Amino acid sequence: MTLIGYARVSTEDQTPLPQSEALQSAGCAEIFEEHASGGNRARPVLARVIERVQSGDTLVVVRIDRLARSLSHLLEVIERLEAKGAFFRSLQDPIDTASPQGKFTLQVLGAAAEFERALIRERTKAGLASARAKGRVGGNPGLRAKDPAALRKVRMARQDGYMERLNETAQDWVPHVRRLRPDMAWEDLLRIINGPLPPDRHWSQSRLLRAVKAYVRDGLLPDAVLGRAGRRETDDRLPAIVAAIKGSDPEITLQAICDRLESMRERTPRGRTSWQPSSVKMLLERAEKLGLL
């Protein structure tokens, strides 16, 4: 199990050194530092930390507010860690999701968050009903008047919201894009990304391209990933796919690669749908000869 530390301060003139020292004393093997507002969920360093975390690892912070300023954001990050088989620990708060007590605290926090959301919904409904009774029209006056400044503000807010949603799924696709593009065609890359994901989280090619372009625009991925994929010989395609799966998880077993290929509905070299470890081993050997590993 690896302890991975995350330290955050709000402004450039603040120093994360005290947090980093506390995280180092707690046994963190790696420590990531970020200068960003706690209210901003679209934090590049935090996105990289969550991408870096693997099954069995623990993300450690000094205090909860260093990770999230809202309960909903905190629960969202912890949910993403749990989906990867990882844990969360706060040194100065009673939260350690690897322990029964920490899980209980998390359940209490989750119940409190749901109660808070219910109260907000009720207050919003009551406020809207009161405004309608007084003859007030809802909505933004600037938008109704098609004011350019108001429209630009809405577009920026939508863009921020889109990037925030992308950051929530970055661990599913960013590592593959960074490692495999432009050497691999988008169609094959898409199948590798969707292979381990449940159907409700599958990506379409157009959605993936839009996400990649947004990350390139913000400097989170290099321009090269959008380059044109070179033509690959038919005999090289399967070795490239197997090498990509192996590269994303060097410890993966031959049987696990078989399962992944079958979930991708990839046919074996002889046209069958049932994969055998011996076939995967042969393709890995060919991939190594081709310089793909």
Side-chain angles (χ1 to χ4, degrees):
M1 182 180 69
T2 302
L3 300 181
I4 300 174
Y6 174 73
R8 182 191 62 79
V9 290
S10 299
T11 61
E12 292 292 338
D13 58 352
Q14 294 177 313
T15 174
L17 183 59
Q19 295 178 53
S20 296
E21 290 176 342
L23 293 169
Q24 188 174 10
S25 299
C28 291
E30 297 180 65
I31 297 173
F32 295 80
E33 298 179 350
E34 182 160 44
H35 290 78
S37 168
N40 180 13
R41 296 193 182 189
R43 293 181 234 153
V45 175
L46 180 58
R48 287 200 300 272
V49 172
I50 297 176
E51 176 187 320
R52 157 69 182 83
V53 169
Q54 298 178 356
S55 178
D57 292 346
T58 300
L59 176 61
V60 185
V61 296
V62 174
R63 296 191 311 275
I64 290 177
D65 65 353
R66 297 302 86 197
L67 179 68
R69 283 291 182 85
S70 68
L71 184 55
S72 62
H73 188 206
L74 173 65
L75 295 173
E76 173 189 304
V77 172
I78 294 177
E79 188 174 304
R80 290 170 61 189
L81 292 173
E82 288 183 337
K84 301 186 71 174
F87 306 101
F88 171 74
R89 180 189 304 170
S90 173
L91 299 180
Q92 297 183 13
D93 301 289
I95 294 184
D96 181 351
T97 60
S99 69
Q101 295 87 349
K103 289 182 179 178
F104 174 75
T105 302
L106 194 61
Q107 291 173 350
V108 172
L109 290 175
E114 180 57 34
F115 178 65
E116 181 184 22
R117 285 192 292 269
L119 288 178
I120 291 173
R121 285 195 296 269
E122 290 302 318
R123 292 194 199 104
T124 301
K125 290 179 181 178
L128 291 173
S130 176
R132 283 194 295 269
K134 295 177 182 178
R136 296 177 186 170
V137 179
N140 187 316
L143 293 181
R144 290 201 302 271
K146 296 186 177 180
D147 177 63
L151 292 172
R152 184 169 58 252
K153 189 173 181 180
V154 169
R155 283 196 299 269
M156 292 179 63
R158 286 177 178 171
Q159 181 176 322
D160 289 344
Y162 175 62
M163 291 303 295
E164 184 176 323
R165 293 193 298 275
L166 282 186
N167 290 338
E168 295 172 1
T169 62
Q171 72 278 2
D172 293 338
W173 56 277
V174 170
H176 297 293
V177 172
R178 183 178 288 124
R179 187 168 49 85
L180 301 175
R181 285 290 305 166
D183 297 325
M184 179 171 285
W186 288 107
E187 294 85 352
D188 290 332
L189 173 65
L190 193 66
R191 299 174 76 185
I192 289 173
I193 291 173
N194 286 336
L197 298 177
D200 61 338
R201 288 172 57 191
H202 278 190
W203 291 76
S204 66
Q205 185 168 322
S206 60
R207 181 174 164 234
L208 179 62
L209 276 170
R210 183 189 175 200
V212 172
K213 289 176 180 177
Y215 261 47
V216 169
R217 183 193 62 228
D218 285 5
L220 300 176
L221 281 172
D223 293 345
V225 300
L226 291 173
R228 191 179 187 87
R231 184 181 296 274
R232 185 178 294 280
E233 296 295 332
T234 304
D235 290 345
D236 293 352
R237 182 176 169 276
L238 279 176
I241 291 176
V242 172
I245 296 173
K246 179 72 172 178
S248 66
D249 182 4
E251 303 300 322
I252 193 170
T253 64
L254 294 177
Q255 184 58 54
I257 296 178
C258 290
D259 296 339
R260 183 76 63 84
L261 290 168
E262 290 182 5
S263 71
M264 294 166 60
R265 299 186 182 279
E266 194 68 51
R267 289 186 175 274
T268 68
R270 296 183 178 179
R272 295 192 296 267
T273 56
S274 178
W275 281 85
Q276 300 297 322
S278 58
S279 299
V280 172
K281 184 179 179 182
M282 177 191 68
L283 289 172
L284 286 173
E285 290 171 351
R286 189 188 304 174
E288 192 167 3
K289 291 178 181 178
L290 293 170
L292 301 175
L293 284 174

